[in-house]
């Protein structure tokens, strides 16, 4: 039987056991396990990697614990702007969206763009209109409103500061039962195909119109059957500058590095060299997976047909 593997993440950052209550730790673990099972059921029954990563990310988008879809943060105008991308490693088709306000599952719109249009990337009103044409579910702003997210924004709205969802504002004084970052998934299916998907609400109090790495092919999301499938999370501007996801693939394809070696090089050397923090998840064509991060923690989970199953929150890797 050919190997198959699924990995996912729910954000990386300052995630300390001392700052997360037992109840919140349990809720996050259950949410990660539920998303993992959703994608695993698809792979285990012979489904495609593309279906597995889309459905896994949809599960995370529907969970208000994570900064994507329903749990998206507020921008400087007190609005939501969501980004997502998906990529098929078989032929390197890709779809991406940015600046969405009402689409329930941005990752599904990204896939529709990939499969039902001649384009790769749509943003703003054009993307929303395409969603309506494709019959993709939309929601009123109230659906995306989360009181914790709203309080995060209130702390920053009168300043020029932005806040990564995995960070605490200097003004913050409340309990550290926080919700953390970007979500993503990467998979290898029984047919030997790889795929990756990433979705995010961005940064609290971000400037209207800001686009991070999650929707940028090669920066925060990438898949190629020649090398690997990758989804990133962290300080998006640094992942863009590093072209992090594609760099990992290139280290494997052109330098002959293993997945583990290439992933560590990108996260612990190249990103750190320019001041970037965060992590990534990746799967190669042999079913190996890597989950490196240079922060205190990363919400993550993995399962492979070799019998390995893992769910984690805190460091070390």
């Amino acid at each position: 039987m050919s190997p198959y593997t699924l990995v996912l993440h729910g954000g990386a950052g300052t995630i300390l056991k001392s700052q997360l209550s037992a109840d919140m730790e349990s809720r996050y673990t259950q949410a990660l396990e539920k998303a993992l099972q959703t994608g695993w059921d698809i792979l285990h029954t012979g489904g495609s990697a593309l279906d597995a990563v889309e459905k896994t990310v949809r599960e995370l988008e529907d969970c208000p614990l994570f900064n994507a879809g329903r749990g998206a943060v507020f921008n400087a105008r007190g609005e939501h702007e969501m980004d997502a991308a998906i990529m098929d490693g078989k032929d390197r088709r890709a779809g991406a969206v940015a600046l969405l306000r009402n689409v329930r599952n941005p990752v599904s719109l990204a896939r529709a763009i990939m499969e039902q249009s001649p384009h790769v990337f749509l943003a703003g009103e054009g993307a929303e209109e395409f969603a309506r044409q494709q019959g993709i579910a939309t929601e009123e702003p109230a659906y995306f409103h989360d009181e914790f997210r709203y309080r995060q924004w209130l702390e920053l709205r009168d300043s020029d500061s932005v806040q990564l969802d995995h960070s605490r504002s200097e003004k913050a004084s409340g309990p550290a039962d926080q919700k953390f970052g970007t979500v993503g998934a990467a998979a290898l299916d029984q047919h030997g195909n790889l795929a990756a998907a990433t979705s995010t609400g961005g940064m609290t109090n971000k400037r209207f119109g800001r686009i991070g790495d999650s929707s940028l092919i090669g920066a925060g999301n990438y898949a190629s059957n020649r090398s690997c499938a990758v989804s990133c999370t962290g300080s998006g501007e640094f992942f863009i500058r590093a072209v992090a996801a594609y760099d990992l693939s290139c280290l494997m394809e052109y330098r002959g590095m293993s997945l583990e070696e290439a992933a560590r090089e990108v996260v612990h050397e190249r990103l750190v060299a320019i001041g970037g923090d965060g992590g990534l998840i990746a799967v190669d064509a042999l079913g190996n997976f890597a989950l490196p991060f240079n922060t205190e923690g990363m919400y993550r989970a993995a399962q492979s047909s070799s019998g390995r199953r893992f769910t984690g929150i805190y460091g070390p890797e």
Side-chain angles (χ1 to χ4, degrees):
M1 180 177 64
S2 298
Y4 52 101
T5 300
L6 175 68
V7 293
L8 63 88
H9 71 77
T14 307
I15 310 172
L16 302 174
K17 192 173 183 64
S18 61
Q19 295 182 344
L20 204 63
S21 70
D23 176 65
M24 288 300 291
E25 180 178 322
S26 176
R27 290 174 63 190
Y28 276 112
T29 299
Q30 290 176 23
L32 292 169
E33 288 283 352
K34 183 179 180 183
L36 184 67
Q37 194 62 51
T38 295
W40 184 252
D41 287 345
I42 293 170
L43 293 179
H44 187 62
T45 55
S48 72
L50 199 62
D51 285 343
V53 297
E54 181 196 2
K55 295 301 191 297
T56 299
V57 169
R58 280 177 62 100
E59 189 70 44
L60 294 167
E61 288 176 335
D62 288 342
C63 177
L65 290 173
F66 301 102
N67 176 21
R70 190 176 184 184
V73 299
F74 291 83
N75 68 9
R77 293 185 176 181
E79 300 169 338
H80 302 286
E81 289 180 318
M82 298 170 285
D83 306 340
I86 194 167
M87 189 165 185
D88 187 345
K90 181 179 181 179
D91 51 15
R92 283 177 285 177
R93 292 182 303 158
V97 291
L99 309 179
L100 300 179
R101 296 186 184 179
N102 299 107
V103 175
R104 180 184 179 115
N105 293 109
V107 69
S108 293
L109 177 56
R111 182 170 181 178
I113 291 168
M114 179 181 75
E115 296 180 335
Q116 304 299 327
S117 85
H119 306 302
V120 170
F121 202 146
L122 294 179
E125 292 182 7
E128 298 270 1
E129 175 62 26
F130 187 74
R132 289 190 288 271
Q133 292 173 357
Q134 295 297 312
I136 291 174
T138 58
E139 299 286 351
E140 294 299 317
Y143 170 82
F144 302 99
H145 182 93
D146 178 84
E147 189 60 28
F148 176 83
R149 301 292 193 205
Y150 187 66
R151 293 199 308 270
Q152 276 186 323
W153 174 63
L154 289 178
E155 293 174 348
L156 297 174
R157 66 172 177 173
D158 296 323
S159 72
D160 293 325
S161 299
V162 295
Q163 180 182 331
L164 289 171
D165 193 46
H166 58 253
S167 305
R168 281 181 67 76
S169 160
E170 293 180 358
K171 302 178 183 179
S173 58
D177 281 349
Q178 300 176 75
K179 304 168 184 177
F180 297 82
T182 304
V183 305
L188 170 71
D189 63 32
Q190 295 185 39
H191 312 289
N193 295 317
L194 291 159
T198 310
S199 182
T200 189
M203 298 189 298
T204 298
N205 207 43
K206 65 184 179 181
R207 184 179 293 274
F208 175 72
R210 180 262 185 185
I211 298 172
D213 67 307
S214 297
S215 61
L216 300 181
I217 304 303
N221 197 80
Y222 189 74
S224 170
N225 282 6
R226 296 178 180 179
S227 54
C228 58
V230 188
S231 175
C232 302
T233 176
S235 303
E237 276 68 16
F238 294 96
F239 282 80
I240 294 170
R241 289 164 54 192
V243 199
Y246 184 60
D247 195 24
L248 194 162
S249 173
C250 287
L251 288 172
M252 294 180 66
E253 189 171 354
Y254 303 123
R255 290 268 304 271
M257 286 187 174
S258 68
L259 178 71
E260 185 70 27
E261 292 170 336
R264 291 192 65 82
E265 171 73 18
V266 169
V267 171
H268 293 288
E269 301 294 335
R270 301 191 177 203
L271 280 170
V272 170
I274 60 173
D277 67 329
L280 58 81
I281 57 170
V283 180
D284 70 13
L286 299 176
N288 300 309
F289 64 82
L291 313 166
F293 52 95
N294 60 31
T295 53
E296 286 84 353
M298 181 170 75
Y299 292 105
R300 61 206 188 275
Q303 186 165 357
S304 69
S305 55
S306 65
R308 295 179 66 190
R309 185 179 177 98
F310 172 81
T311 302
I313 296 177
Y314 314 108
E317 299 168 23

